[in-house]
Amino acid sequence: MNSVYFSPTMSMPAMCLLLASFLCILFLAAIYFFRVRNVVKYRAKADSERPDIADADYLPASVVVYSQGNADMLSELLKDLLAQDYPAAYEVIVVNDGESADVRDTVSMLRAAHSNLYLTFTPEGVVNLSRKKLALTLGIKAARYDVAVLTTPSAEIRSGHWLRRIMGNFDREGKTEVVLGFACIDPDEDDTLGKRRRAFDYVADSCRWLGVAIAGKPFRGTEYNIAYRKEAFMRNKGFAQTLNLHSGDDDIFISEIARRHNTAVELSEESIVRLRHGNHPRFFMERVLRRFFTEKFIRRRPRILTVLTGWLQLAAIAAGAGSAVISAPNMQPTAIAAVLILLMFALDIYAWRSAARALKSRMLFLTIPWFSVTYPFRHALRRVRSRFGRLKKYTWD
């Protein structure tokens, strides 16, 4: 049996495998630099640079709240909305899905002190079209102002300048038609099994759509924090093309109206809302599967970069291991491969911890490489579940 040794002399196949491992890591670093790091930098810039807008230049706004009867959560949201420090006129329109005495009482009590608060209901018995899209359409059409800002009681607005920061992106010339905000998940709200995996996946998915939106290729937003001009909604005939789908109001519709020249991304601390129960296992999975289903109707979306980082990591590990195996008992390739893999894992940890900090998520450390490497498999499994699972996709389901 040959004893192990270290020699700089390596076979050509071993050198090629090491080179392949290095190139995979290099490509991975480029993706992190141009996508994940861009989100982190944009987030920091949004906090350091406050909008230089005179109070008189802010546009009036119509905040449309889609409610599903949760009066307690709605009451908390409305109090935050009605307390906004906004220099222009604004109204709050609550559109509840069906009649609800609790919602009516909640809005009536607040309306006594706030004349800019309104309530409407979607009619009962509506079938074969999305009730949420019907509610949003009713709210937007009822809006008296040119810009509709959309949110739901599932969002917690923690800043009195939230509306100011979202609306600060709209100009009187009408150049900006869409503003994409962000909803973070409080890491303290989830103590159930899988909380770290869900936190990583939410950050990775958020960087995916935020990164391309910042790069000028927006294809989706988040229903909890989004704004667009009423004229753009009408020009697109609202949700007419997807009324047969339960979802799609914040991805398919946004992909239809959002372009490089008319879309802004708002990531300042004051503009970020907190998603209630956002990391709960059931809510999280429903949201993910819904996204997978609706995104297949979007043409302009990143199809490769979503899982390419994981495949690059797997390829780098496989190439390094292959070089070590064929070079045994020479341990020099094994040592080089080990250094490359450790460098890759360090890059993983740095990139995703920076993103998690910027997006106010759970701070992970040693589990990051594992979640990153296995992400493609979770992605593939969820795609299958979105197609063949029991998720309600069409309005006739």
Side-chain angles (χ1 to χ4, degrees):
M1 181 177 179
N2 295 329
S3 59
V4 299
Y5 63 93
F6 286 84
S7 171
T9 303
M10 294 179 284
S11 65
M12 183 59 66
M15 293 177 62
C16 289
L17 286 172
L18 287 176
L19 178 61
S21 181
F22 174 75
L23 291 177
C24 287
I25 297 172
L26 194 63
F27 196 5
L28 177 70
I31 295 175
Y32 284 159
F33 182 85
F34 289 108
R35 283 293 182 261
V36 179
R37 184 172 176 270
N38 271 5
V39 174
V40 176
K41 287 181 60 179
Y42 194 91
R43 169 81 174 82
K45 181 180 178 181
D47 280 340
S48 62
E49 297 182 2
R50 301 188 66 85
D52 185 18
I53 305 173
D55 287 354
D57 291 333
Y58 280 90
L59 299 177
S62 296
V63 181
V64 179
V65 179
Y66 171 64
S67 172
Q68 292 180 290
N70 191 323
D72 292 335
M73 293 175 65
L74 177 63
S75 177
E76 294 179 26
L77 175 68
L78 292 180
K79 290 175 182 177
D80 293 334
L81 287 175
L82 295 169
Q84 288 293 300
D85 177 16
Y86 191 63
Y90 75 97
E91 63 181 353
V92 179
I93 303 172
V94 178
V95 188
N96 195 71
D97 189 353
E99 291 279 350
S100 172
D102 291 340
V103 168
R104 183 187 296 106
D105 293 342
T106 296
V107 175
S108 297
M109 286 189 295
L110 292 172
R111 182 168 168 72
H114 301 278
S115 59
N116 60 334
L117 175 61
Y118 306 93
L119 172 66
T120 186
F121 298 93
T122 57
E124 299 287 354
V126 175
V127 295
N128 291 335
L129 58 85
S130 169
R131 294 187 61 84
K132 180 182 180 182
K133 291 172 186 173
L134 173 62
L136 294 178
T137 300
L138 291 175
I140 293 170
K141 287 187 174 181
R144 68 176 68 182
Y145 302 126
D146 293 335
V147 177
V149 186
L150 277 58
T151 188
T152 80
S154 295
E156 178 186 355
I157 297 174
R158 297 179 293 175
S159 170
H161 287 171
W162 167 75
L163 188 57
R164 184 187 287 261
R165 294 307 296 259
I166 294 293
M167 290 297 298
N169 294 277
F170 289 99
D171 54 286
R172 294 190 175 274
E173 293 75 22
K175 295 179 181 179
T176 301
E177 293 187 317
V178 182
V179 174
L180 306 178
F182 181 68
C184 71
I185 293 178
D186 187 350
D188 295 331
E189 73 162 18
D190 183 15
D191 290 323
T192 56
L193 184 65
K195 58 187 178 182
R196 292 178 176 82
R197 182 191 70 247
R198 290 190 294 275
F200 176 87
D201 288 355
Y202 188 76
V203 169
D205 185 58
S206 298
C207 285
R208 175 195 174 214
W209 67 267
L210 284 171
V212 295
I214 292 169
K217 300 177 181 179
F219 73 99
R220 86 174 223 207
T222 173
E223 62 181 313
Y224 311 104
N225 197 6
I226 198 168
Y228 42 78
R229 290 185 183 269
K230 186 175 179 179
E231 193 276 332
F233 180 82
M234 297 301 183
R235 186 176 64 239
N236 195 65
K237 298 180 181 179
F239 308 113
Q241 298 183 49
T242 59
L243 281 177
N244 63 324
L245 303 177
H246 279 296
S247 304
D249 51 281
D250 59 354
D251 49 13
I252 301 176
F253 173 73
I254 291 302
S255 72
E256 292 170 350
I257 67 170
R259 297 293 184 270
R260 176 189 296 270
H261 65 277
N262 73 344
T263 302
V265 179
E266 179 57 58
L267 282 182
S268 62
E269 174 83 17
E270 294 171 320
S271 73
I272 296 177
V273 302
R274 174 181 173 271
L275 185 55
R276 306 176 198 265
H277 312 301
N279 221 15
H280 186 280
R282 181 171 64 86
F283 297 146
F284 177 86
M285 187 54 62
E286 288 178 354
R287 189 171 61 245
V288 168
L289 296 182
R290 190 169 62 243
R291 288 288 194 188
F292 271 108
F293 175 72
T294 54
E295 278 192 8
K296 74 179 184 179
F297 298 97
I298 300 174
R299 293 183 180 178
R300 300 178 303 102
R301 74 181 192 274
R303 300 173 184 270
I304 299 177
L305 291 182
T306 307
V307 296
L308 184 57
T309 54
W311 291 122
L312 285 172
Q313 290 170 311
L314 289 170
I317 294 172
S323 176
V325 169
I326 66 175
S327 299
N330 182 5
M331 298 299 292
Q332 185 81 358
T334 303
I336 296 175
V339 170
L340 289 176
I341 301 307
L342 289 175
L343 178 64
M344 181 183 71
F345 288 161
L347 178 64
D348 273 347
I349 293 172
Y350 173 77
W352 292 119
R353 278 182 64 87
S354 299
R357 185 179 297 108
L359 299 182
K360 308 176 75 62
S361 183
R362 184 183 299 274
M363 295 301 295
L364 307 177
F365 189 58
L366 295 179
T367 54
I368 289 178
W370 168 253
F371 291 143
S372 184
V373 169
T374 57
Y375 183 79
F377 301 103
R378 295 195 300 279
H379 187 273
L381 179 60
R382 289 165 182 169
R383 184 172 297 280
V384 172
R385 288 185 61 183
S386 71
R387 292 184 179 181
F388 303 105
R390 297 181 179 180
L391 176 72
K392 289 185 177 181
K393 307 166 187 175
Y394 297 95
T395 53
W396 52 77
D397 288 340

